[in-house]
Amino acid sequence: MAKEIATYVKLQVKGAQANPAPPIGPALGSKGVNIMEFCKQFNARTQDKPGQLLPVLLTVFTDKSFEFVIKTPPAPNLLLEAVKVKSGSAEPNRKKIGSVTWDQVKTIAEIKMPDLNAFTLQSAMSMVAGTARSMGITVSGTPPWEQ
Amino acid sequence: MSSQSPTQHLVLTVTAVPEVAEFVIPMVAELGFDTFEETEVGFVTSMLAQVPHTDLDVLLGPLAESGMISYTAQVIEGQNWNAVWEASIDPVRIAQDCRVRAAFHVPDRTIRYDIVITPKMAFGTGHHATTAQVMRYMLKHDLSGLSVLDAGSGSGVLAILAELQGANRVFAYDNDPWCVESIAENIAGNGCQQVVGALGTIRTVEAGEPFDWVLANINRNILLDEMDGYERNLKAGGKLVLSGFHEEDIAALTAKASALDLHYHTHTLEGPWAMLAFNKPMIPTLTNTD
C-alpha cells in the first residue's frame, strides 16, 4: 500500500551544507522527521555542488519517514550569477541591474529544462528571458531564432 | 552543565509573492543566509547571528519601501529541534553483542555493549548505515590498550564504543558546539573515563600523540580535504576508517589515501552508503627515491 503523505516542505539549501539549524530544524523537527538523517542524505548527494543554492521538495509521510527530490537551481540565482551583481533591482522596470547575453540565457535554459514546463529549448529560453526582465536584467541582442 | 543554548540564530522572515521571493532569496543568500524554507506567504531563513541588522536594512529596506516585501528579523536561542524524533526512537541492534538505545529505554544487561546515547541534534544514534558500518567494523577487532581518534564525532557514539572495547585513550572532536555538549553528556551516561571531547577541526584541535586508530564518519569533501590531517595523527601500523559517503565516492577517497601512502584494507556497503578502511604501513613505502 502506498504511504500516506502528511505534508510537503519546500526548501532551498546550499549544496553539502545542510544543518539542523533553522529553518530546517524547526520545519522538519516539528513534523517528527529525523533532521540529522535528512542532512546526512542531502549533503552526501550534493558533494559535487558545494555552496550552490538548490531547491529541495521534501515529502513527509504519516509514519514520519520522508523522501526528497533535488531540483535544478532557480533561474534568478543563475541569472544573478551570470550578471555577477550582488542584488536584484528594487525597481525592475526603471533601474537595470545588469545584462546577460542570449548565449547565457541559453546556458541557463539548458540547466533548467528538466524542471521547466517547456517542450523546446526556445520556449525555455523565453521563460528565462522573462524572469530576467522581471528582475531588472536586460537581455542584450536579438533572440537567435529572430536572426 | 550549562543550560544555556550553545548557539544563537538570526531568523529572517520575509513576506512576498512567489515571483518576488524567488529573486530575493539569492540576494539574501549573499549575506550568508544558507538555508531557506519557502512558505505559503514568502520564506524563512536564518544564520548563526553575525550579520548586523543594518546590512539587512540596506538590502531589504528599499524593497520594503516599494511595497514588494515586508520582513522581520529576530535573534533566537538554538534548541534541540530534533527532540520529537529523538523521543520516538527504538533501540538499534548493531550486532549480536552491541546495541544503541536512549536513556528512556530499559537497559539490557545481556548485551555486552549496551550504549546509551542522547543525541540532541548530534549525528550518531546508530540508526544510520554510516554509523552502523563503522561500529560493526570496530566490533570485529580487539581495541584493548589502543588509542582512538574520533574525527567529527557527533554524539560521540564511536568514541564510547572504542572505550567500551578497551581503548585506553580516546579523543573525540566536532566543529558543532551542540555535538560537544552531546559528547560530554554521553560520555557520562556510559560511565566512560578515557574519552576526551573537544570543539574544533583536525587542523585546530590539540589531540596529542598519534593514535592507533582514526575514525571519521563525515562526508566525501571533508574527508578528502582533511585526510592528510588524519594521516598525521595516525601511528605507523595504524588504521584509518572512513564513512559518511556513497559507493561512487570510493574511487576518489582511495586515490587520495593512496597518495598519502595509506593501504586499502577493506570496504563495506549498505544501501548507497559505503565505509572504507586503510592501513598505514609500519615502514613507509619508498617511492621516488632519487
Side-chain angles (χ1 to χ4, degrees), chain B residues 3-26:
Chain B
S3 59
Q4 208 183 348
S5 156
T7 52
Q8 286 198 321
H9 306 265
L10 176 61
V11 175
L12 173 69
T13 305
V14 174
T15 305
V17 295
E19 296 75 33
V20 174
E22 72 166 5
F23 75 80
V24 177
I25 286 175

Side-chain angles (χ1 to χ4, degrees), chain A residues 10-12 14 20-27 29 32-37 40 44 47-48 76-77 86 88 90, chain B residues 9 22 25-27 30 34-38 44 46 68 81-82 84-85 121 128 217-221 246 273:
Chain A
K10 276 178 82 178
L11 300 168
Q12 285 191 34
K14 283 187 182 168
I24 293 181
V33 168
N34 182 7
I35 305 164
M36 304 314 296
E37 172 73 35
K40 193 83 172 177
Q47 291 286 296
D48 289 326
N77 303 28
K86 290 286 178 192
Chain B
H9 306 265
E22 72 166 5
I25 286 175
M27 290 162 60
E30 296 281 342
D34 55 12
T35 308
F36 300 81
E37 182 191 5
E38 296 176 60
V44 181
S46 96
M68 294 171 81
W81 286 287
N82 215 23
V84 176
W85 179 79
M121 287 207 298
H128 202 279
N217 173 11
I218 312 179
N219 64 48
R220 185 199 71 188
N221 291 357
H246 285 169
W273 302 98

Side-chain angles (χ1 to χ4, degrees), chain B residues 231-240 261-263 278-283:
Chain B
E231 192 275 335
R232 270 198 303 279
N233 281 283
L234 200 54
K235 281 184 194 169
K239 214 175 257 305
L240 174 64
D261 199 19
L262 295 168
H263 298 187
F278 300 95
N279 291 322
K280 182 168 175 171
M282 288 301 291
I283 300 159

Side-chain angles (χ1 to χ4, degrees), chain A residues 3-8 31 59-65:
Chain A
K3 285 199 272 190
E4 201 182 331
I5 294 167
T7 186
Y8 296 98
K31 296 170 181 71
T59 308
V60 182
F61 300 99
T62 46
D63 66 357
K64 314 293 185 205
S65 64

Side-chain angles (χ1 to χ4, degrees), chain B residues 54-271:
Chain B
T54 46
D55 284 7
L56 271 181
D57 293 335
V58 168
L59 181 69
L60 297 179
L63 290 167
E65 276 165 34
S66 71
M68 294 171 81
I69 66 164
S70 61
Y71 68 98
T72 57
Q74 62 174 140
V75 175
I76 64 164
E77 294 285 326
Q79 53 164 288
N80 180 11
W81 286 287
N82 215 23
V84 176
W85 179 79
E86 288 166 12
S88 74
I89 55 178
D90 291 322
V92 189
R93 195 67 175 245
I94 303 295
Q96 193 58 34
D97 55 351
C98 179
R99 182 179 83 148
V100 183
R101 66 177 176 89
F104 54 79
H105 295 128
V106 180
D108 185 343
R109 307 267 175 233
T110 67
I111 298 171
R112 189 172 179 195
Y113 307 118
D114 194 28
I115 301 172
V116 188
I117 291 293
T118 304
K120 286 198 181 153
M121 287 207 298
F123 185 81
T125 51
H127 286 79
H128 202 279
T130 59
T131 314
Q133 285 182 97
V134 178
M135 294 177 80
R136 289 193 195 106
Y137 183 80
M138 293 167 72
L139 289 163
K140 287 190 185 125
H141 293 81
D142 180 7
L143 301 187
S144 50
L146 299 186
S147 53
V148 176
L149 172 67
D150 183 1
S153 52
S155 66
V157 64
L158 301 179
I160 289 162
L161 177 60
E163 175 170 343
L164 296 180
Q165 285 188 262
N168 62 8
R169 179 169 74 98
V170 185
F171 188 85
Y173 73 82
D174 202 289
N175 66 352
D176 180 346
W178 277 92
C179 293
V180 179
E181 288 215 345
S182 180
I183 295 164
E185 190 170 346
N186 291 322
I187 291 170
N190 289 280
C192 287
Q193 309 285 324
Q194 311 300 337
V195 182
V196 174
L199 178 68
T201 72
I202 193 71
R203 296 193 173 91
T204 61
V205 291
E206 288 177 20
E209 292 291 303
F211 295 82
D212 294 299
W213 281 47
V214 174
L215 311 170
N217 173 11
I218 312 179
N219 64 48
R220 185 199 71 188
N221 291 357
I222 291 176
L223 296 174
L224 287 173
D225 182 47
E226 296 191 337
M227 207 187 299
D228 54 346
Y230 309 149
E231 192 275 335
R232 270 198 303 279
N233 281 283
L234 200 54
K235 281 184 194 169
K239 214 175 257 305
L240 174 64
V241 183
L242 305 178
S243 189
F245 51 88
H246 285 169
E247 185 178 1
E248 58 264 31
D249 301 324
I250 289 178
L253 288 160
T254 306
K256 173 82 183 185
S258 186
L260 293 166
D261 199 19
L262 295 168
H263 298 187
Y264 170 87
H265 171 229
T266 190
H267 75 273
T268 60
L269 299 174
E270 199 175 317

